[in-house]
Amino acid sequence: MKILIINSGSSSIKYQLMVMPTNEVICSGMIDRIGLETSNVTFKTSSNTIEETLPIPNHKVGLQKVANMLLDAEKGVIKSTSEIGAVGHRVVHGGSDFSDTVKIDENVKAKIKQLFELAPLHNPANLEGINVAEEIFSSAEQIAVFDTAFHQTMPEVAYKYAIPNYLLTENKVRVYGFHGTSHKYVSEKAIENLKSNSKIITIHLGNGCSMAAIKDGKCIDTTMGFSPSNGLIMGTRCGDIDQSVVFYMIKNLDYTPDEVNSILLKQSGMLGLTGYSDLRDIESEAEKGNKDCQLALFMNAYRIKKTIGSYTAALNGLDAIVFTAGIGENSSHIRKLVCTDMDYFGIELDQEKNQIRSKEIREINTPNSRTKVLVVPTDEEYEIANQVYHLLQN
């Protein structure tokens, strides 16, 4: 069965066409920097790689570009959309309605839309991907895989907020956690590497960032909560902030609630600190002496280091930390900042190994490091395809 995986992030689209259950990848690619004039488009097969830079204003245009490349008469990989048996969609927020992979119908789409306010940078893009895919791949099964599912193993002590109980029981206000597909995949790969069900902290760093504490293969805590807006400093999201700031901005600075929401989600984080949302630009400017960019990088790493400390306490120990996703896999500078002055936790980084770029899982700690430091390339697309295939088989 040919399964097309569509992973619509807040500013990117990853896609992959696979044959299951053989795990054969027919083609893969990515569109990043969506919304900018310099969006990057890649399309890879076993014999071809196409790279383009062009404006991709939104996810709908991006998904139409993906479909055109798949069907291209000269370099495409399918002759008809009917060749694709299923389209697997990564959906960020499933709320309390979805804890498993499901077939998409109008009811599922309506519930995804109801959750727009809780994942405003993601669920709209996810639903757009579903709508466009239904038009283009009309004969395929449309399947949703939810980012919140992996975190359903969190104990009540971790997922419950200290607010009136009825807000949980009646309104489902709780910690849900996100990037679950990635945390699940890389933690399983790390456990295979360590050859034991260990105490692991997974660190997913991209335009959106999150961490998870994983004990014996199960998530016991995670940094994102009711929505994917809190926790670490992100590309445009502020992460953790005193809620009083929100009321201060509304009552004293005359912002509307919608304006505050936009500022904290779309104008804050690394963008608010530096004027840049892409870490590659920020690192480049920092090297040139830009003080704002230098400080932002230290702030980013400082927040991650504090979370490593708290999660080590929650796990009652630490066997490994795992870096993954676009920044986690590729930014040796961020990894160095995070692992510096962490000897109390038994973390010692090998500077030469840290500079290596690879598509393979690798250890970048010194031989004397008590805690393993792993870089595990995430493969959310494979994880989604696997879940889609098993749902349809069952």
Side-chain angles (χ1 to χ4, degrees):
M1 176 188 289
K2 291 180 182 177
I3 299 176
L4 175 64
I5 306 306
I6 296 177
N7 182 348
S8 295
S10 55
S11 63
S12 66
I13 299 169
K14 292 181 183 178
Y15 63 92
Q16 195 159 285
L17 183 60
M18 298 182 67
V19 178
M20 297 297 287
T22 60
N23 301 337
E24 177 193 352
V25 177
I26 298 174
C27 74
S28 63
M30 181 176 181
I31 301 175
D32 67 3
R33 298 181 182 231
I34 291 175
L36 301 180
E37 291 293 312
T38 55
S39 302
N40 299 312
V41 178
T42 60
F43 179 79
K44 298 179 181 179
T45 67
S46 59
S47 58
N48 247 321
T49 297
I50 300 171
E51 296 181 347
E52 297 179 73
T53 299
L54 69 163
I56 301 289
N58 53 51
H59 285 74
K60 184 173 184 178
V61 173
L63 287 162
Q64 289 171 335
K65 176 68 175 176
V66 171
N68 291 339
M69 290 187 293
L70 292 173
L71 290 161
D72 184 83
E74 184 180 344
K75 298 180 180 178
V77 292
I78 57 174
K79 294 181 179 179
S80 168
T81 58
S82 63
E83 294 179 37
I84 294 176
V87 181
H89 299 267
R90 174 204 179 208
V91 180
V92 166
H93 209 313
S96 57
D97 294 303
F98 304 109
S99 58
D100 293 304
T101 300
V102 298
K103 291 184 179 181
I104 296 169
D105 56 21
E106 291 303 315
N107 182 53
V108 170
K109 290 199 293 182
K111 289 182 177 179
I112 292 171
K113 188 171 184 178
Q114 289 171 7
L115 294 164
F116 275 13
E117 290 188 4
L118 302 187
L121 298 184
H122 297 87
N123 271 37
N126 302 153
L127 185 58
E128 187 70 56
I130 292 168
N131 289 330
V132 174
E134 284 178 334
E135 293 176 14
I136 299 171
F137 308 102
S138 56
S139 63
E141 290 274 13
Q142 306 290 328
I143 310 294
V145 178
F146 294 92
D147 251 11
T148 44
F150 178 64
H151 302 298
Q152 295 302 303
T153 55
M154 283 189 295
E156 188 175 19
V157 67
Y159 72 70
K160 189 172 182 179
Y161 289 118
I163 54 179
N165 287 326
Y166 71 85
L167 288 170
L168 172 60
T169 57
E170 297 177 21
N171 305 107
K172 310 300 181 185
V173 178
R174 53 159 287 178
V175 172
Y176 288 102
F178 301 90
H179 295 142
T181 307
S182 176
H183 287 295
K184 180 178 185 293
Y185 178 84
V186 300
S187 63
E188 289 174 352
K189 290 296 181 183
I191 288 168
E192 287 177 15
N193 180 269
L194 297 167
K195 296 180 174 58
S196 66
N197 281 331
S198 306
K199 298 172 181 178
I200 299 169
I201 297 172
T202 50
I203 309 170
H204 177 108
L205 303 177
N207 192 55
C209 303
S210 66
M211 294 171 64
I214 299 169
K215 187 174 183 179
D216 297 330
K218 295 182 179 180
C219 176
I220 65 165
D221 207 347
T222 190
T223 54
M224 286 180 168
F226 182 60
S227 75
S229 60
N230 61 308
L232 305 179
I233 297 171
M234 307 180 219
T236 65
R237 285 166 272 176
C238 64
D240 285 345
I241 190 169
D242 185 340
Q243 66 270 21
S244 298
V245 174
V246 175
F247 299 109
Y248 176 79
M249 291 176 72
I250 293 171
K251 292 181 178 179
N252 297 79
L253 304 181
D254 296 324
Y255 288 103
T256 67
D258 285 344
E259 287 172 337
V260 173
N261 191 53
S262 179
I263 289 170
L264 298 184
L265 294 182
K266 299 180 180 180
Q267 302 170 41
S268 296
M270 301 300 275
L271 177 64
L273 292 170
T274 68
Y276 303 94
S277 62
D278 193 295
L279 195 85
R280 290 166 291 191
D281 298 328
I282 296 167
E283 288 187 349
S284 175
E285 289 297 314
E287 288 179 5
K288 298 174 186 176
N290 185 313
K291 299 295 184 183
D292 288 339
C293 291
Q294 291 171 353
L295 177 60
L297 292 170
F298 279 111
M299 290 174 64
N300 190 307
Y302 181 70
R303 188 80 60 92
I304 296 168
K305 292 169 75 162
K306 287 203 300 182
T307 307
I308 290 173
S310 64
Y311 280 1
T312 301
L315 290 164
N316 190 26
L318 182 61
D319 295 308
I321 62 173
V322 178
F323 289 96
T324 193
I327 293 170
E329 294 169 30
N330 296 306
S331 176
S332 59
H333 186 61
I334 284 291
R335 294 194 299 260
K336 179 181 178 181
L337 290 178
V338 170
C339 294
T340 298
D341 296 329
M342 294 288 277
D343 48 292
Y344 184 82
F345 296 95
I347 296 172
E348 291 184 14
L349 193 68
D350 185 307
Q351 300 301 337
E352 290 186 8
K353 290 180 180 178
N354 186 41
Q355 295 298 322
I356 297 171
R357 285 202 175 196
S358 171
K359 296 293 185 181
E360 304 299 322
I361 184 172
R362 58 199 186 275
E363 290 185 10
I364 59 171
N365 52 273
T366 66
N368 295 327
S369 181
R370 297 194 313 275
T371 298
K372 298 286 188 183
V373 182
L374 304 178
V375 179
V376 181
T378 192
D379 195 341
E380 293 172 282
E381 290 72 32
Y382 165 77
E383 184 63 36
I384 292 169
N386 194 44
Q387 293 187 37
V388 167
Y389 179 75
H390 284 292
L391 173 68
L392 295 176
Q393 291 303 300
N394 293 331

